[in-house]
């Protein structure tokens, strides 16, 4: 993970057509490349991290977020890019792992310029990094990126494949949740199961729709009260506060907001015996893994079950607009999750340890 860094200006690369500059950040031993991107004309400030290209170009979305500092942004992108290596390896999509973050806020009047500038930065990496949508970024933003580079996904839609990947991500999470429920509760379906969903953005809301169709009983919470109220009305869900949603009396909690939601306190006090959500980096620390193991709480690792979006994106990038193929690959998340959770319970180790072991074996074969 993050060791230390120094900014070495001589390694910067400048796009002659603008004031765009890429500065290589040194000292991240577990990453192949980390660059800081600046464009004084558009106002773009971004970090792009390439964790691994062992299995292919580094695929991973671009997140727009307002960070408290550049250091916080770097820490986030390093965690996310490493997670993408693991996610892409397990999903077998032919991508390595990478991620980008744009430091907000970005005024609406500058948004088009910022994303076109970001597209030029991606292009300057020569295909080492393939970008797509993530938190705070829309298909329309990626369309601006595509005006400057071909190394972008989440654009074209054909036969229901392409564009916004959030529904595909939600479908994968649903498969992982079903598998974890089968192992932990010997439940053949989610009908009647109580599921607490934290975060009702693009993926969280779609996951709720899918869960309601399965007959699950929902408890929901979101920072946007109006959004939570709409979801409550649509599905007859119960409401909880952001402070209590993960401690509700339910079978499953689904963190679908930002990372670090499962803290030590939450792990010690939660009543659910399954954690299966869409958020990246859900566990706040390594200590949490051990607490969950001791309490026999089945954590479906986020990078295993939230891979539906990248499965679709990879198919789009290859021009494989085949919904049957994409659905089949997403359905495999069920079997993968079942194997990981079952193995962890049998060996009395964390599910993260089992999943990581599988990834490392795949990387070692390359």
């Amino acid at each position: 993970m993050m060791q230390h860094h120094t900014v070495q200006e001589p390694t910067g690369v400048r796009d002659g057509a603008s004031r765009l500059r890429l500065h290589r950040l040194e000292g991240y031993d577990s990453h192949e490349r980390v660059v800081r991107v600046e464009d004084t004309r558009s106002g773009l400030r971004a970090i792009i991290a390439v964790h691994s290209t062992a299995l292919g170009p580094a695929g991973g979305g671009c997140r727009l977020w307002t960070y408290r500092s550049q250091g916080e942004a770097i820490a986030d992108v390093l965690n996310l890019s490493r997670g993408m290596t693991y996610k892409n390896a397990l999903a077998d999509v032919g991508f390595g792992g990478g991620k980008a973050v744009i430091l907000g806020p970005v005024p609406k009047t500058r948004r088009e310029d910022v994303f076109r500038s970001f597209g030029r930065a991606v292009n300057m990496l020569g295909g080492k990094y393939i970008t797509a949508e993530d938190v705070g970024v829309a298909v329309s933003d990626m369309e601006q990126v595509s005006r400057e580079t071909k190394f972008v996904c989440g654009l074209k839609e054909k036969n229901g494949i392409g564009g916004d990947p959030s529904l595909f991500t939600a479908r994968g999470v649903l498969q992982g949740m079903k598998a974890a429920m089968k192992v932990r509760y010997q439940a053949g379906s989610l009908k009647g199961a109580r599921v607490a969903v934290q975060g009702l953005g693009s993926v969280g809301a779609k996951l709720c729709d899918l869960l309601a169709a399965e007959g699950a009983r929902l408890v929901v919470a979101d920072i946007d009260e109006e959004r939570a109220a709409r979801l409550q009305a649509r599905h007859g869900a119960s409401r909880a506060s952001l402070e209590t949603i993960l401690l509700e009396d339910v079978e499953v909690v689904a963190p679908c907001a930002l990372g670090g939601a499962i803290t030590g306190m939450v792990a010690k006090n939660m009543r659910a015996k399954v954690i299966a959500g869409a958020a990246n980096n859900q566990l706040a620390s390594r200590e949490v893994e051990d607490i969950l193991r001791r309490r026999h709480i089945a954590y479906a690792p986020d990078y295993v079950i939230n891979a539906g979006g990248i499965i679709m994106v990879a198919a789009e990038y290859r021009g494989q607009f085949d919904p049957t193929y994409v659905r089949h690959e997403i359905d495999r998340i069920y079997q993968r999750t079942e194997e990981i959770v079952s193995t962890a319970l049998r060996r009395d180790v964390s599910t993260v340890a089992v999943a990581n072991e599988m990834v490392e074996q795949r990387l070692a074969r390359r």
Side-chain angles (χ1 to χ4, degrees):
M1 274 310 162
M2 189 166 73
Q3 308 295 325
H4 65 280
H5 78 275
T6 57
V7 179
Q8 296 191 353
E9 298 298 331
T11 64
V13 179
R14 180 170 179 170
D15 177 358
S18 73
R19 295 171 183 166
L20 177 67
R21 292 186 65 89
L22 273 61
H23 304 283
R24 185 159 186 159
L25 304 184
E26 306 290 352
Y28 300 105
D29 297 336
S30 66
H31 282 68
E32 292 181 13
R33 190 173 191 187
V34 182
V35 296
R36 175 168 58 87
V37 183
E38 293 179 331
D39 184 359
T40 55
R41 186 172 63 185
S42 69
L44 170 69
R45 295 182 303 139
I47 308 291
I48 301 174
V50 174
H51 179 258
S52 172
T53 57
L55 300 178
C62 170
R63 171 172 296 191
L64 170 58
W65 195 253
T66 300
Y67 295 94
R68 289 173 292 186
S69 66
Q70 178 176 278
E72 184 181 60
I74 291 172
D76 194 31
V77 77
L78 294 181
N79 283 331
L80 291 167
S81 61
R82 178 180 181 273
M84 288 305 302
T85 293
Y86 281 59
K87 180 189 300 188
N88 293 342
L90 284 172
D92 195 23
V93 293
F95 279 166
K99 205 76 173 185
V101 296
I102 293 177
L103 284 68
V106 173
K108 191 174 182 179
T109 54
R110 286 198 292 108
R111 195 171 183 106
E112 179 178 328
D113 289 341
V114 162
F115 278 95
R116 288 197 64 174
S117 180
F118 175 71
R120 291 195 296 275
V122 169
N123 203 56
M124 290 165 70
L125 294 177
K128 291 288 187 182
Y129 168 63
I130 311 297
T131 195
E133 298 95 323
D134 199 86
V135 175
V137 177
V139 172
S140 57
D141 298 318
M142 287 298 107
E143 288 171 350
Q144 297 304 322
V145 173
S146 72
R147 295 174 67 182
E148 303 292 343
T149 185
K150 64 181 180 181
F151 304 118
V152 56
C153 300
L155 299 166
K156 302 175 184 176
E157 186 171 341
K158 182 179 177 183
N159 298 331
I161 305 301
D164 182 359
S166 59
L167 177 58
F168 298 87
T169 302
R171 287 174 178 168
V173 171
L174 181 71
Q175 292 297 322
M177 188 183 296
K178 286 180 174 180
M181 281 288 289
K182 179 184 176 183
V183 176
R184 186 61 184 80
Y185 289 109
Q186 292 76 54
S189 76
L190 290 169
K191 187 174 182 179
R194 296 164 296 176
V195 182
V197 181
Q198 177 206 47
L200 306 173
S202 296
V203 177
K206 290 179 176 66
L207 177 62
C208 287
D209 294 342
L210 296 175
L211 287 168
E214 294 278 332
R217 294 181 289 163
L218 298 173
V219 184
V220 299
D222 191 89
I223 194 170
D224 185 331
E225 292 290 337
E226 291 185 9
R227 187 157 55 189
R230 288 194 298 271
L231 214 299
Q232 179 184 28
R234 185 158 76 237
H235 296 307
S238 301
R239 291 273 295 280
S241 69
L242 288 173
E243 291 73 28
T244 64
I245 184 68
L246 300 177
L247 303 175
E248 293 291 317
D249 185 13
V250 295
E251 281 75 46
V252 186
V253 294
C256 296
L258 295 178
I262 309 298
T263 63
M265 185 279 290
V266 170
K268 289 174 183 176
N269 293 284
M270 67 188 303
R271 287 182 276 184
K273 294 301 180 182
V274 170
I275 303 171
N280 292 310
N281 301 319
Q282 292 169 27
L283 307 189
S285 67
R286 291 292 298 274
E287 173 198 16
V288 174
E289 291 179 36
D290 197 48
I291 296 170
L292 298 177
R293 177 191 60 80
R294 292 198 308 267
R295 296 195 62 210
H296 304 291
I297 295 172
Y299 167 57
D302 50 82
Y303 52 89
V304 177
I305 70 170
N306 68 9
I310 196 67
I311 289 170
M312 184 279 285
V313 161
E316 177 196 340
Y317 190 71
R318 292 192 297 267
Q320 196 167 7
F321 294 93
D322 181 350
T324 301
Y325 166 78
V326 171
R327 183 172 288 278
H328 175 266
E329 291 300 303
I330 291 175
D331 286 348
R332 290 176 61 197
I333 291 172
Y334 182 102
Q335 299 163 333
R336 204 170 293 130
T337 307
E338 184 180 17
E339 178 184 355
I340 289 167
V341 175
S342 298
T343 301
L345 289 173
R346 185 177 69 251
R347 290 170 47 188
D348 192 27
V349 296
S350 76
T351 54
V352 174
V354 175
N356 287 357
E357 188 177 283
M358 291 171 64
V359 171
E360 286 152 12
Q361 288 172 354
R362 292 189 182 190
L363 292 173
R365 290 198 294 266
R366 297 295 294 189

